[in-house]
Amino acid sequence: RNKSPMNLITLSILFLFSSTTYAQESVISQLSKQELELINKNEFVIKETKIKDRPWPEVTLYSVINASALESIALFSAFDKQKDYIPGLLQSSVVKQVNPVEIHTQYKMNMPWPLSDAVYIHGSVLGRLKKNLSSYYLKWYLVSSNVHRSVKGEAIFESYGKKTIMRYKSLIHPKSVFASLIKSTMMKDLKSSLMATKEYIENTSTKQRVTTNKYCKKVLDGLGGKFVW
């Protein structure tokens, strides 16, 4: 039986809503008392999980950001700005909008010797957490790359009073046979990149309200079904 236009609209709305909300246990519940004390002192908590047949571990990092959850996700996902503050990142350009909450971004990054510069495209999906609609997530995946076999990651921004707890998780499978030799460099670069991201979010949300409001609007409009890139 043919679906009526109203049924099609309803199905589309339900699909959009289901694809942009995500069930997730509280980030705070994943941290011990000692780990909470560390992130409240502006330090990172970093956990590594070894994955079979992968040269690099899955890395999970926790941090407190001195900005709201909306401001944090908005500035974290300001993809065209990432090249301005992430060390070694030469290009970050949105090249495709798949739907209101999913985009493709092209990157070029300096890599440590003996690896060649990385040129890659990541897809990313924006959404809200089901249990707390004032908290947000961004998931990303590999579209194409000259240096990676696979990439999978997510960042969750959970309201924490007037601040935000971020949980960043990443699993990268590089193509290079030398990858296991530069694991320590990868970890150092990842921490440096996330420190720069945290500082950018905090400084921009405090000192550049026009920019902050611009990207907050992009997030809310995208979640509301509008194409914003």
Side-chain angles (χ1 to χ4, degrees):
R1 187 177 64 178
N2 291 334
K3 295 182 176 68
S4 70
M6 183 57 69
N7 284 339
L8 290 174
I9 291 171
T10 302
L11 286 172
S12 297
I13 292 172
L14 288 172
F15 174 77
L16 178 63
F17 184 78
S18 66
S19 66
T20 56
T21 56
Y22 172 47
Q24 167 67 36
E25 64 176 312
S26 167
V27 173
I28 294 177
S29 69
Q30 301 166 27
L31 295 169
S32 68
K33 181 180 178 181
Q34 291 75 20
E35 289 168 341
L36 275 172
E37 289 174 355
L38 283 174
I39 63 172
N40 282 320
K41 292 177 182 177
N42 211 32
E43 297 184 33
F44 286 158
V45 168
I46 302 175
K47 300 180 181 182
E48 298 180 28
T49 303
K50 189 172 181 179
I51 306 297
K52 184 179 179 181
D53 298 326
R54 298 291 179 92
W56 291 350
E58 179 183 75
V59 180
T60 304
L61 181 146
Y62 299 84
S63 176
V64 168
I65 300 175
N66 191 18
S68 72
L70 176 58
E71 291 167 341
S72 297
I73 183 66
L75 293 170
F76 184 89
S77 60
F79 304 102
D80 52 337
K81 294 288 187 181
Q82 292 173 339
K83 61 184 180 296
D84 298 335
Y85 65 86
I86 294 180
L89 190 61
L90 306 175
Q91 177 187 358
S92 59
S93 306
V94 174
V95 293
K96 181 179 181 181
Q97 182 152 24
V98 180
N99 59 54
V101 294
E102 183 174 4
I103 69 165
H104 291 176
T105 306
Q106 182 168 302
Y107 296 96
K108 183 176 181 179
M109 174 172 273
N110 277 330
M111 297 293 284
W113 185 89
L115 303 181
S116 58
D117 284 353
V119 179
Y120 53 96
I121 295 176
H122 282 179
S124 56
V125 179
L126 170 73
R128 281 189 171 106
L129 300 183
K130 284 185 177 178
K131 291 184 178 180
N132 184 350
L133 292 180
S134 64
S135 298
Y136 306 85
Y137 71 83
L138 189 76
K139 293 184 174 185
W140 56 91
Y141 57 89
L142 184 65
V143 176
S144 64
S145 174
N146 68 326
V147 295
H148 303 134
R149 297 185 188 279
S150 64
V151 173
K152 183 172 69 173
E154 68 174 22
I156 292 174
F157 299 87
E158 183 175 281
S159 295
Y160 186 54
K162 294 182 178 181
K163 300 181 181 182
T164 300
I165 288 186
M166 175 183 73
R167 189 193 76 180
Y168 177 99
K169 183 178 287 190
S170 177
L171 177 60
I172 299 172
H173 188 185
K175 292 179 179 178
S176 175
V177 296
F178 302 106
S180 59
L181 302 177
I182 59 168
K183 180 207 161 195
S184 60
T185 301
M186 179 275 293
M187 292 294 297
K188 180 181 176 182
D189 289 348
L190 176 61
K191 186 174 180 180
S192 175
S193 173
L194 289 173
M195 179 59 75
T197 300
K198 171 180 160 70
E199 291 175 355
Y200 171 75
I201 292 171
E202 293 178 339
N203 290 336
T204 304
S205 64
T206 301
K207 301 175 183 177
Q208 299 181 40
R209 292 307 308 173
V210 172
T211 298
T212 301
N213 292 340
K214 171 186 173 181
Y215 288 101
C216 286
K217 187 174 186 303
K218 280 184 179 289
V219 167
L220 296 176
D221 284 350
L223 291 171
K226 295 180 181 179
F227 283 75
V228 297
W229 288 97

